[in-house]
Amino acid sequence: MSRVALVTGGSRGIGAAISIALKGAGYRVAATYAGNEERAQAFTEVTGIPAYQWDVSDYAACASGIARVEAEIGPIEILVNNAGITRDAMFHKMTPEQWSSVIDTNLTGLFNMTHPVWCGMRDRNFGRVINISSINAQKGQMGQVNYSASKAGDLGFTKALAQEGAAKGITVNAICPGYIGTEMVRAIPEKVLTERIIPQIPVGRLGEPEEIARCVLFLASDDASFITGSTLSANGGQFFV
């Protein structure tokens, strides 16, 4: 029987591309979404991938949601922590709510989602945890102290947890996308994209969500069983670590 994959924030943008790619590769896939029920329902109608609503910043909601997915589809063997938010502001204007909401979703959300599936992965001696971080975790970004801190925390989470899972057949890796052509990025004024953003990218274009999805497919596969604690940068050469 095919393995079960759960993708948080999996009904839109990069997450949707990941969900679709995993299903195309033969996984049984479930996606989560936070609030846009209409979009999630449309996604399910088009793809056949079930979408479940909960807030990844709420541990109890994650635990109960995961239990429902496992009861309906099967034990989660591939977890893609993709859900994330931004609340951008210059630091001197940043509010405690802008800080905490981003940290709670983008960093604590990894704990909330991974912790309930971890023991099952250990018991089965197999698991894949793939965390979608960001180029801004690696280089920082003005106006995104909260986001950069949260995504950098994801990398520390990845490296530490990888050491705990290795002997149990569980790999934990991260992907740091650069500028990807999602709806949000393509909504940036064309002048800003063409004059300020794309010139920073040596390959001369935005990435595509499907390119990040292919990174996930590799890390989820048996071919990647010797890779753990790693960060895969997919940014068109914009930043090297």
Side-chain angles (χ1 to χ4, degrees):
M1 185 173 289
S2 58
R3 289 170 173 157
V4 175
L6 178 61
V7 183
T8 67
S11 65
R12 298 179 63 184
I14 292 173
I18 292 169
S19 297
I20 292 166
L22 286 166
K23 182 181 180 183
Y27 295 91
R28 288 175 289 157
V29 182
T32 78
Y33 67 100
N36 194 327
E37 186 172 356
E38 182 177 351
R39 284 290 299 272
Q41 289 178 347
F43 169 80
T44 297
E45 290 173 4
V46 170
T47 65
I49 297 170
Y52 298 79
Q53 183 178 16
W54 72 76
D55 180 356
V56 299
S57 71
D58 182 334
Y59 183 88
C62 292
S64 62
I66 286 167
R68 181 183 170 197
V69 171
E70 294 196 323
E72 296 179 2
I73 302 178
I76 294 165
E77 296 160 291
I78 315 293
L79 173 63
V80 183
N81 286 310
N82 167 73
I85 63 171
T86 58
R87 297 290 185 268
D88 295 351
M90 296 297 285
F91 188 68
H92 65 284
K93 295 182 178 179
M94 187 173 290
T95 66
E97 188 280 330
Q98 287 173 315
W99 171 266
S100 61
S101 62
V102 170
I103 296 296
D104 290 349
T105 297
N106 297 1
L107 178 54
T108 305
L110 267 64
F111 173 86
N112 294 344
M113 286 298 305
T114 309
H115 192 260
V117 304
W118 190 252
C119 288
M121 289 180 174
R122 284 173 52 86
D123 291 342
R124 293 186 297 272
N125 289 299
F126 179 85
R128 297 285 187 268
V129 179
I130 302 165
N131 301 316
I132 308 301
S133 182
S134 170
I135 187 175
N136 291 339
Q138 299 170 304
K139 72 177 186 62
Q141 178 61 44
M142 183 173 67
Q144 286 194 327
V145 170
N146 50 2
Y147 183 81
S148 296
S150 69
K151 291 298 189 177
D154 293 349
L155 300 183
F157 177 99
T158 296
K159 293 172 185 178
L161 192 59
Q163 296 177 55
E164 296 189 21
K168 289 292 186 178
I170 308 167
T171 66
V172 187
N173 291 290
I175 299 170
C176 284
Y179 280 96
I180 306 300
T182 59
E183 286 182 30
M184 181 178 67
V185 171
R186 294 195 185 278
I188 295 171
E190 184 176 357
K191 185 178 178 67
V192 175
L193 278 175
T194 58
E195 295 184 7
R196 295 178 55 188
I197 293 176
I198 292 177
Q200 299 178 38
I201 305 171
V203 301
R205 63 173 177 87
L206 300 175
E208 295 297 335
E210 292 76 15
E211 293 178 300
I212 305 304
R214 288 193 286 272
C215 296
V216 171
L217 285 182
F218 172 65
L219 292 174
S221 72
D222 290 340
D223 290 338
S225 61
F226 198 59
I227 300 172
T228 194
S230 294
T231 300
L232 177 56
S233 296
N235 60 39
Q238 185 178 354
F239 185 79
F240 301 116
V241 177

